[in-house]
Amino acid sequence: MRRMKEHDKLAKRLGIILTRLNTGEKLYLEELSREFNVSERTLQRDFNERLNYLPIERIGACYFLDPKVLGNQSGRELSILLLNMGLDNLFPSKHYLSNGVLNNSTMPPFLFKNPRIEDISQNASVFEKLIESVQRNNVISFTYEGLRYNEFLPYRLVNDRSIWYLAGTHRKRLHSFRIAKISELVRYDNKYSPDINISQKLSGVALDEWRNDAVEVILQIQANAIDSLFKEDTTDRFSILKELDSGDVLASYQTNNIPALFSQLKTWLPDVEVLSPDWVRYQLKQELQAYLDSTK
């Protein structure tokens, strides 16, 4: 059986521990170490750092959840959790989060299959260190596409359209960096005090305004529209990749202004088809469908 990827192993281990804690089970480090094939020191980090937001009690090497809070997580608390994670629009109504719908004794009515999330298993150690840096407000340094960023203040790890980004400030300016491209990460002991205005801005806007890497969109352009589109573009963002037998062309278009990209794509329809990335094609379809629905 193929060895489970590191971040999958961590997520599965924490998920099993959370489930067993929530059922009132008392967990012992020695038994967990044998079960998950990890050291007791790793498990201590699970309880003391990764799960430190829970009211976990400890007697020696035994960990358990405070009996007073078992099963008492309210719909309001779940709503706040979803809001802080940017998932407040996941359900159409907050009553779906009530204990009558979500509880430990029945199978939940909701099932999420094949969510579009970037595989960053090769950067699992960087991802884990970034989580700890964000939670502890540690100053960090790293290399990104050949450039060194020292004294970076990490605020959040953001999943935007399935891609994982590190969001924070460098020299008092907001930046976002694709985590898969971060290397040589160093976490320092010195800490920073988060700016509430930065935190609010991160929660209220997408990454489009301050992303560092451009998005490459692959397009198929119909033959009759090629000349007009290339004359319209004055920024040299278009580059022809291949001429097809039909007269159409495959072209690359690069930009880091996502709102402007979608506005432009709508004006090019139906002469242009988005081939990749998937999230651009999907979001364009959703926006067009929403417009059609609003006109009914």
Side-chain angles (χ1 to χ4, degrees):
M1 184 176 181
R2 189 178 63 179
R3 183 175 179 268
M4 186 178 293
K5 297 172 183 176
E6 292 301 319
H7 75 295
D8 290 335
K9 290 172 61 178
L10 173 63
K12 183 177 181 180
R13 184 174 73 245
L14 294 179
I16 292 174
I17 290 174
L18 280 170
T19 300
R20 291 165 64 178
L21 285 172
N22 205 40
T23 60
E25 186 175 347
K26 293 184 177 181
L27 304 178
Y28 294 85
L29 292 181
E30 184 178 355
E31 296 175 358
L32 293 175
S33 178
R34 289 197 300 269
E35 178 180 350
F36 295 114
N37 194 29
V38 296
S39 67
E40 292 189 13
R41 183 176 179 181
T42 295
L43 290 164
Q44 288 174 337
R45 290 183 63 194
D46 288 344
F47 287 110
N48 299 331
E49 298 177 12
R50 302 181 179 106
L51 301 176
N52 64 358
Y53 59 91
L54 294 172
I56 295 176
E57 298 188 359
R58 173 189 174 187
I59 299 179
C62 174
Y63 292 80
F64 56 94
L65 205 57
D66 183 349
K68 295 191 296 293
V69 303
L70 288 174
N72 290 337
Q73 192 171 38
S74 67
R76 180 176 180 275
E77 290 170 328
L78 288 171
S79 296
I80 293 174
L81 176 62
L82 291 176
L83 176 64
N84 290 336
M85 294 178 64
L87 298 173
D88 49 311
N89 293 322
L90 188 60
F91 298 104
S93 174
K94 290 183 174 59
H95 82 270
Y96 295 117
L97 302 176
S98 67
N99 287 333
V101 177
L102 298 178
N103 58 61
N104 298 324
S105 61
T106 62
M107 180 70 70
F110 312 113
L111 176 64
F112 296 89
K113 298 191 67 175
N114 302 316
R116 295 177 178 272
I117 299 295
E118 178 185 25
D119 180 7
I120 56 170
S121 56
Q122 293 185 346
N123 249 21
S125 60
V126 170
F127 193 78
E128 184 172 337
K129 189 178 291 187
L130 287 174
I131 292 175
E132 296 171 353
S133 301
V134 170
Q135 289 178 324
R136 300 176 182 178
N137 298 329
N138 289 117
V139 177
I140 62 174
S141 296
F142 56 87
T143 298
Y144 188 84
E145 295 188 331
L147 297 178
R148 189 69 184 170
Y149 291 85
N150 295 312
E151 298 184 1
F152 187 88
L153 311 185
Y155 273 76
R156 300 293 291 272
L157 304 184
V158 182
N159 191 283
D160 189 18
R161 303 179 182 96
S162 82
I163 304 298
W164 279 109
Y165 295 90
L166 166 66
T169 61
H170 182 247
R171 297 176 181 174
K172 298 183 179 182
R173 293 187 60 185
L174 270 173
H175 294 272
S176 70
F177 298 91
R178 188 169 176 177
I179 292 177
K181 297 181 179 180
I182 291 176
S183 62
E184 300 176 336
L185 174 64
V186 177
R187 186 181 68 217
Y188 301 105
D189 291 334
N190 52 317
K191 301 179 182 293
Y192 70 94
S193 298
D195 185 332
I196 186 63
N197 295 320
I198 298 295
S199 298
Q200 290 176 345
K201 184 170 184 179
L202 285 173
S203 300
V205 301
L207 298 182
D208 307 329
E209 299 179 16
W210 35 276
R211 66 190 306 155
N212 290 70
D213 55 331
V215 172
E216 181 183 31
V217 183
I218 305 301
L219 307 168
Q220 181 169 338
I221 305 173
Q222 293 184 9
N224 63 310
I226 294 173
D227 290 341
S228 60
L229 286 183
F230 277 79
K231 287 179 181 178
E232 180 182 327
D233 177 55
T234 58
T235 59
D236 295 326
R237 290 175 178 165
F238 272 117
S239 60
I240 295 179
L241 302 177
K242 183 179 181 180
E243 295 185 11
L244 304 179
D245 294 339
S246 62
D248 296 355
V249 299
L250 298 183
S252 168
Y253 184 82
Q254 297 196 21
T255 180
N256 58 4
N257 190 332
I258 305 303
L261 169 65
F262 281 100
S263 297
Q264 193 70 68
L265 287 172
K266 292 170 189 175
T267 66
W268 292 338
L269 296 174
D271 299 318
V272 171
E273 178 185 359
V274 177
L275 301 182
S276 70
D278 289 339
W279 66 263
V280 172
R281 185 173 68 248
Y282 175 79
Q283 184 166 331
L284 179 63
K285 179 180 178 181
Q286 291 295 98
E287 291 187 10
L288 294 174
Q289 186 62 53
Y291 171 75
L292 293 175
D293 292 342
S294 67
T295 61
K296 293 180 179 178

